[in-house]
């Protein structure tokens, strides 16, 4: 089992160019099945989840080629409607293929994605919305059999601004007759990127980034080129790497607008941050300030995908901080690992109280999920002594070459098999 070995105490100094966003490229690759024409996607990160999505597209008959960070998809040869179960299990977010496949083929067979490390991850909002658009969905033997002879646009009020449900509805609605209005839609930048992809493909869609998105169905989409937005969570993670080591790091190729909630909280923690629209410099404090209350919220609130990373930083703060995780049911699995490194954290349900300590000490710790694993790496950068992080496959789902990038900034981190 591969692991990272980190010798803490090194200030990070240097420049990072941030790769394309995992959570934007996955829905865009799914949407290529609707184009039924060649599509080229630029700025695709080299991540396990992206490789899984590529394998799914190839398994259902699409021609997919990758050259560095460019992925070419020709879905004209798509000839299967069953999404391979083992690949859905590998990546539960492949559920967004449901909408794309219903739009392209009018039917799809996909295994129930099930839960993951951070919670049960239900898809009730997806299914309710797809049914109101005219899909018939049968659930049996752990599979979803979906058919939609004729999709009709309608008004959809989401009970919760679910990112995946919003993406699924947008994709089905591209081929529904008439107009579909999504109210209480997710407002994340990844939704805006999907809208841009669909709009350039010829779909009449507007409103992404607000709570009301309107899509007018069309007969067909055309082949296009698309460049994926930068990964705001990867950017935030490297910002915390600078903050937690008292470093001085410049991030390039970012969308500063997308990371405003992260900038605000890191400034509150005592970081000096200077930026223009696509570049940012962050100087970490000698010792971070505590943050009285940090609540994770749907965008534009503070992102749940940055909760674990901020907890690592606040473990070393002057004073006591409170974090409330409001999005996922079980997203504190990194707490017990941080405690092994000397952090003083108490959790009650979805609230964590973090009493800053003088320093963390290196230890053997295990990544339990993607962002929690990243928080252990960040803690190892600041801890006194050696930290070993195992189960790093979780981390490598969402971070391209994280050990090489941290090494280039002066960290002493090795990846060992
Ligand atoms: C996306 O997950 C992201 N994943 C997650 O990033 C991110 O944390 C999440 O959005 C919130 O921003 C991808 O984009 C691939 P949701 P998604 O539907 O779409 C509940 C990472 O680390 N819910 O907005 O699954 C659900 O249980 C990952 O990169 C229902 O109850 O998120 C959760 O509590 C982790 N019923 C909340 O809504 C539904 O039908 C948010 O889920 C759907 C969701």
């Amino acid at each position: 089992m591969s692991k990272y070995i980190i010798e803490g105490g090194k200030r990070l100094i240097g420049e990072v160019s941030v790769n394309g966003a995992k959570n934007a490229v996955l829905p865009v690759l799914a949407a290529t099945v609707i184009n039924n024409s060649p599509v080229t996607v630029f700025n695709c990160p080299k991540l396990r989840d992206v490789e899984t999505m590529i394998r799914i597209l190839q398994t259902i008959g699409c021609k997919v080629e990758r050259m560095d960070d460019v992925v070419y998809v020709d879905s004209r040869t798509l000839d299967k409607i069953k999404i391979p179960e083992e690949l859905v299990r590998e990546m539960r977010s492949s559920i967004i293929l449901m909408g794309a496949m219903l739009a392209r083929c009018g039917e799809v067979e996909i295994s129930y994605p099930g839960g993951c490390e951070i919670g049960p991850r239900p898809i009730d909002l997806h299914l309710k919305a797809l049914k109101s658009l005219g899909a018939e969905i049968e659930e049996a033997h752990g599979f979803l059999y979906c058919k939609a002879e004729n999709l009709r646009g309608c008004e959809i009020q989401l009970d919760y601004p679910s990112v995946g449900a919003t993406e699924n509805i947008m994709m089905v609605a591209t081929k529904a007759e008439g107009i579909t209005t999504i109210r209480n839609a997710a407002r994340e930048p990844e939704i805006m990127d999907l809208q841009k992809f669909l709009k350039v493909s010829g779909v009449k869609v507007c409103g992404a980034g607000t709570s009301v998105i309107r899509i007018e169905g069309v007969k067909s989409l055309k082949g296009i080129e698309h460049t994926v937005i930068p990964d705001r969570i990867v950017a935030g993670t490297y910002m915390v790497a600078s903050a937690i080591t008292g470093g001085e790091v410049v991030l390039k190729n970012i969308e500063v607008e997308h990371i405003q909630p992260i900038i605000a909280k890191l400034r509150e923690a005592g970081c000096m941050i200077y930026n223009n629209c696509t570049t940012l410099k962050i100087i970490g404090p000698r010792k971070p300030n505590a943050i009285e209350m940090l609540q994770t919220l749907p965008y534009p609130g503070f992102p749940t995908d940055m909760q674990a990373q901020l907890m690592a930083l606040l473990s070393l703060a002057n004073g006591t901080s409170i974090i409330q995780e409001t999005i996922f049911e079980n997203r504190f699995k990194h707490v017990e690992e941080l405690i092994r490194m000397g952090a003083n954290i108490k959790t009650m349900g979805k609230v964590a109280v973090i009493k800053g300590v003088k320093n963390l000490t290196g230890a053997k710790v295990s990544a339990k999920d993607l962002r929690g694993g990243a928080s252990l790496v960040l803690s190892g950068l600041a801890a006194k002594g050696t930290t070993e992080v195992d189960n790093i496959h979780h981390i490598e789902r969402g971070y391209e070459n994280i050990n090489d990038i941290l090494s280039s900034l002066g960290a002493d981190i090795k990846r060992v098999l």
Side-chain angles (χ1 to χ4, degrees):
M1 190 66 87
S2 306
K3 57 188 171 186
Y4 295 132
I5 298 180
I6 306 163
E7 290 303 327
K10 311 278 187 302
R11 275 189 77 218
L12 297 196
I13 296 174
E15 264 188 27
V16 183
S17 181
V18 172
N19 52 262
K22 167 177 83 80
N23 293 348
V25 72
L26 292 174
V28 160
L29 288 176
T32 60
V33 307
I34 316 173
N35 293 70
N36 193 10
S37 289
V39 170
T40 306
V41 184
F42 296 91
N43 203 25
C44 285
K46 298 186 194 72
L47 299 169
R48 231 181 55 186
D49 276 7
V50 175
E51 295 317 311
T52 302
M53 180 59 85
I54 289 174
R55 276 169 39 220
I56 291 173
L57 294 174
Q58 289 169 332
T59 309
I60 58 178
C62 299
K63 187 162 164 273
V64 187
E65 284 161 17
R66 165 158 222 161
M67 290 76 69
D68 199 20
D69 71 346
V70 182
V71 172
Y72 169 87
V73 183
D74 183 351
S75 62
R76 286 174 295 187
T77 49
L78 188 153
D79 60 1
K80 294 183 189 65
I81 57 127
K82 181 170 182 177
I83 311 296
E85 181 176 1
E86 65 283 0
L87 293 177
V88 176
R89 284 191 176 288
E90 217 174 289
M91 186 182 67
R92 62 167 306 287
S93 50
S94 36
I95 193 67
I96 47 174
L97 273 160
M98 259 176 79
M101 289 294 283
L102 282 174
R104 166 68 189 268
C105 315
E107 60 178 322
V108 61
E109 196 182 307
I110 187 166
S111 75
Y112 224 89
C116 71
E117 308 80 10
I118 59 176
R121 312 296 292 274
I123 56 169
D124 54 310
L125 301 178
H126 298 243
L127 302 182
K128 185 176 161 190
L130 299 186
K131 286 174 184 166
S132 48
L133 282 158
E136 289 157 34
I137 300 175
E138 193 203 344
E139 301 169 44
H141 315 295
F143 268 82
L144 294 161
Y145 303 84
C146 316
K147 261 186 178 320
E149 252 82 51
N150 49 355
L151 292 162
R152 286 175 311 286
C154 65
E155 296 265 334
I156 293 169
Q157 175 73 36
L158 279 175
D159 295 342
Y160 178 89
S162 156
V163 172
T166 302
E167 290 165 347
N168 253 331
I169 299 164
M170 288 171 75
M171 287 193 261
V172 178
T174 60
K175 292 296 198 63
E177 203 181 310
I179 291 177
T180 299
T181 303
I182 312 170
R183 297 185 194 287
N184 196 25
R187 297 162 57 183
E188 273 69 5
E190 292 75 29
I191 304 284
M192 293 186 254
D193 206 25
L194 179 60
Q195 170 173 282
K196 183 178 170 195
F197 177 89
L198 294 174
K199 205 177 251 188
V200 174
S201 299
V203 179
K204 293 175 195 140
V205 49
C206 62
T210 75
S211 297
V212 181
I213 299 176
R214 280 198 177 78
I215 306 105
E216 186 176 343
V218 293
K219 285 275 168 278
S220 64
L221 277 63
K222 59 183 195 275
I224 67 162
E225 294 187 348
H226 181 79
T227 300
V228 171
I229 56 171
D231 195 311
R232 60 194 168 101
I233 306 302
V234 167
T237 304
Y238 286 120
M239 289 170 74
V240 174
S242 178
I244 205 169
T245 59
E248 190 167 324
V249 172
V250 173
L251 297 183
K252 307 189 80 163
N253 304 327
I254 58 174
E255 278 288 346
V256 168
E257 190 49 34
H258 297 167
I259 57 173
Q260 288 299 346
I262 303 168
I263 291 172
K265 285 302 170 187
L266 287 174
R267 280 195 170 124
E268 212 177 307
C271 297
M272 304 294 282
I273 297 175
Y274 311 94
N275 64 272
N276 59 27
C277 299
T278 58
T279 308
L280 174 145
K281 176 182 223 180
I282 176 165
I283 301 169
R286 207 182 50 72
K287 193 150 181 66
N289 307 327
I291 292 178
E292 214 169 306
M293 179 62 184
L294 177 70
Q295 207 180 27
T296 63
L297 288 167
Y299 192 90
F302 185 83
T304 174
D305 294 349
M306 281 297 302
Q307 176 257 107
Q309 298 91 311
L310 256 286
M311 189 182 286
L313 178 65
L314 296 173
S315 299
L316 285 167
N318 264 324
T320 299
S321 309
I322 296 176
I323 292 182
Q324 185 187 14
E325 171 57 57
T326 72
I327 310 290
F328 286 108
E329 298 76 5
N330 190 16
R331 206 166 196 178
F332 281 158
K333 290 195 151 178
H334 44 283
V335 169
E336 56 189 354
E337 303 301 306
L338 291 173
I339 290 169
R340 284 174 55 78
M341 298 178 73
N344 180 341
I345 305 169
K346 288 184 180 48
T347 59
M348 287 142 279
K350 294 165 92 170
V351 173
V353 179
I354 304 106
K355 192 168 179 302
V357 294
K358 193 165 175 307
N359 53 54
L360 295 173
T361 51
K364 288 187 178 166
V365 288
S366 272
K368 304 286 174 51
D369 58 65
L370 166 53
R371 307 301 175 182
S375 78
L376 301 179
V377 172
L378 296 172
S379 305
L381 295 175
K384 288 196 179 314
T386 309
T387 298
E388 285 190 17
V389 183
D390 67 18
N391 285 342
I392 60 173
H393 61 280
H394 287 297
I395 303 171
E396 295 181 343
R397 280 188 47 219
Y399 292 92
E400 188 180 327
N401 300 331
I402 185 169
N403 51 300
D404 294 338
I405 290 172
L406 290 173
S407 299
S408 72
L409 295 171
D412 179 348
I413 177 171
K414 291 180 187 58
R415 184 183 193 279
V416 295
L417 279 171

